[in-house]
Amino acid sequence: MLAILCSVTSCATLPPGSVRDPRDHAERFNRAMFEFNTALDHSVMRPVARAYVHAVPATVRTGISNFLGNLAYTSTIGNDLFQAHPRDFARDLARLAVDTTIGVGGLLDPATGLGLVKHERDFGQTLGKWGVSTGSYLVLPLLGPSDVRDAVGTVPDRFMTVEGYIHHDAPLSVGLFSLRALDARAKALPSDSTVGGAFDPYGFVRSAWFQLRDYKVHEGDENYLPELPPLESGAGK
């Protein structure tokens, strides 16, 4: 696999008129990895996700998503504290308790009906709020878009969840990872046509990634204006 990646990387080229981002320091490698991930996705993950959506009723898929979200919700609760959101910490703790008990292990979501809104917080976002810059953009094998800050943040996030402590049970750990990947891919199916129809799919995904992460870091800041990367001379011509 390493030989394949090295070969693809050496052949990677930047498309004419593509927009450079100063935060993408390893663009040739990242584009090669993006192509590799896309080829693997189109040959394996996308067909499996389509089959999953076709074969499994929506209510069952929702239950699986709820269960996976509830299982990892302790990470959000931990980051509530790191980001100094004591009220959200209390509400998210209550949400976890309600969905785990009344919601049958998280398969159902009665907490939302009780007004306990679901939050999404991670340690990469926490580092951003602490003033840590994103670092270079990264496209990770199999995992897709990220950056140095958020890649580092996945480590403490994992150890704030139950899944971080079941590595001794390989079948269970691999099974949960695979189910989470399938659930995420199935949810992303509606965006395939948008990404595929972009002039530069790689640049489109990179821009969307930075906008999403910047939004999460600056949530609630009404005075925040996102920084847009400068256009290359002649880009888009």
Side-chain angles (χ1 to χ4, degrees), residues 187-234:
K187 290 178 179 177
L189 285 175
S191 66
D192 283 1
S193 58
T194 302
V195 175
F199 165 73
D200 177 12
Y202 170 84
F204 178 86
V205 171
R206 179 184 60 193
S207 177
W209 167 263
F210 277 128
Q211 288 183 46
L212 174 63
R213 297 308 296 171
D214 287 348
Y215 171 79
K216 283 183 173 293
V217 168
H218 296 279
E219 62 175 353
D221 184 357
E222 297 180 354
N223 296 318
Y224 170 69
L225 292 175
E227 294 185 12
L228 297 178
L231 292 176
E232 277 188 322
S233 176

Side-chain angles (χ1 to χ4, degrees), residues 99-187:
D99 280 352
T100 302
T101 54
I102 302 175
V104 195
L107 291 172
L108 304 176
D109 182 20
T112 296
L114 295 175
L116 297 170
V117 179
K118 183 177 182 179
H119 297 101
E120 292 184 7
R121 294 198 171 108
D122 56 68
F123 200 74
Q125 179 192 31
T126 296
L127 291 174
K129 287 183 176 292
W130 289 353
V132 178
S133 65
T134 61
S136 181
Y137 180 67
L138 295 174
V139 179
L140 303 176
L142 306 180
L143 300 178
S146 186
D147 54 60
V148 173
R149 182 186 68 198
D150 291 303
V152 170
T154 60
V155 177
D157 274 334
R158 180 164 178 79
F159 286 98
M160 282 190 278
T161 67
V162 175
E163 292 175 70
Y165 297 92
I166 59 173
H167 50 80
H168 60 281
D169 189 336
L172 179 58
S173 182
V174 171
L176 285 172
F177 176 83
S178 300
L179 186 60
R180 193 176 293 282
L182 178 59
D183 177 64
R185 187 62 185 92
K187 290 178 179 177

